[in-house]
């Protein structure tokens, strides 16, 4: 998205990868804050609820991505630009990168805690992820209209983002519906 947006900051074209600094910085800050909060309140929040919260935050980031994509496509193009770069500022991407960082800050520690507490389920998790990746691989050819190789302006990345957000919501629902005994001793 950043490559198809106005990246001028004070007259200088900012590199698209600059947004990774925003995400990493936000993740570091949130990891510190959450470390302090979870040290005091963490035992009261079950593992499955923390995993579901992370999935929900990831879904939120994807919804924001889809909305920004729709706004980007509707915005006028930069004058004199032949590549179809939108006049929308790359600053519009900051909320999605912060939401992604928030999801990572919540879900990664919970994943590590779950994996350390339930080594018996690691094999099942690997097989499930491999099956999901295989299924996604089967779907990719049918997504060529959404994700064309030619130009971001030709596809429907917004629909792709919204579909992934629905998957995150489904994951959160599954996490909250699985009995607590599956999650191990740290769950309430």
């Amino acid at each position: 998205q950043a490559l198809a947006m106005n990246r001028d900051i004070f007259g200088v074209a900012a590199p698209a990868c600059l947004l990774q600094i925003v995400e990493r910085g936000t993740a570091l800050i949130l990891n510190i804050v959450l470390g302090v909060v979870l040290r005091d309140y963490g035992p009261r929040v079950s593992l499955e609820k923390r995993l579901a919260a992370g999935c929900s935050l990831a879904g939120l980031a994807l919804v924001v991505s889809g909305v920004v994509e729709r706004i980007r496509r509707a915005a006028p193009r930069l004058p004199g630009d032949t590549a179809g770069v939108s006049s929308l500022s790359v600053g519009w991407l900051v909320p999605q990168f912060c939401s992604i960082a928030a999801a990572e800050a919540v879900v990664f520690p919970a994943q590590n805690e779950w994996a350390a507490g339930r080594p018996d389920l690691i094999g099942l998790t690997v097989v499930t992820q491999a099956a999901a990746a295989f299924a996604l691989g089967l779907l990719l050819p049918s997504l060529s209209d959404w994700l064309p190789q030619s130009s971001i302006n030709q596809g429907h990345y917004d629909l792709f983002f919204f579909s992934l957000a629905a998957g995150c919501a489904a994951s959160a629902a599954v996490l909250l519906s699985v009995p607590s005994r599956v999650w191990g001793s740290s769950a309430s």
Side-chain angles (χ1 to χ4, degrees):
Q1 275 181 312
L3 291 175
M5 297 174 81
N6 182 1
R7 295 181 288 130
D8 281 349
I9 300 174
F10 304 115
V12 176
C17 62
L18 187 64
L19 289 166
Q20 291 298 319
I21 295 171
V22 171
E23 186 213 351
R24 293 294 88 212
T26 304
L28 286 171
I29 292 167
L30 287 173
N31 274 318
I32 292 167
V33 170
L34 286 173
V36 171
V37 169
L38 290 177
R39 181 180 55 221
D40 297 331
Y41 300 104
R44 293 186 223 164
V45 181
S46 65
L47 185 57
E48 65 268 22
K49 287 179 183 166
R50 286 186 280 146
L51 288 167
C55 288
S56 299
L57 287 168
L60 173 66
L62 289 161
V63 167
V64 170
S65 299
V67 170
V68 169
E69 177 60 15
R70 287 196 171 172
I71 294 169
R72 184 198 67 77
R73 288 183 65 145
R77 301 294 168 233
L78 286 176
D81 183 77
T82 58
V85 174
S86 171
S87 62
L88 190 67
S89 170
V90 75
W92 279 74
L93 296 177
V94 170
Q96 83 187 44
F97 277 85
C98 291
S99 299
I100 291 167
E104 291 173 354
V106 171
V107 84
F108 288 165
Q111 282 178 335
N112 289 338
E113 183 180 332
W114 175 79
R118 292 303 307 256
D120 55 321
L121 293 178
I122 296 296
L124 177 62
T125 303
V126 170
V127 169
T128 303
Q129 288 176 342
F134 180 75
L136 181 62
L138 292 175
L139 285 174
L140 285 178
S142 63
L143 292 177
S144 61
D145 289 340
W146 285 8
L147 309 171
Q149 293 182 6
S150 58
S151 167
I152 189 172
N153 295 322
Q154 302 300 319
H156 292 284
Y157 284 81
D158 54 339
L159 299 177
F160 180 68
F161 291 139
F162 293 142
S163 298
L164 291 175
C168 290
S171 294
V174 167
L175 287 165
L176 292 175
S177 66
V178 172
S180 292
R181 68 181 180 280
V182 173
W183 298 105
S185 60
S186 65
S188 60

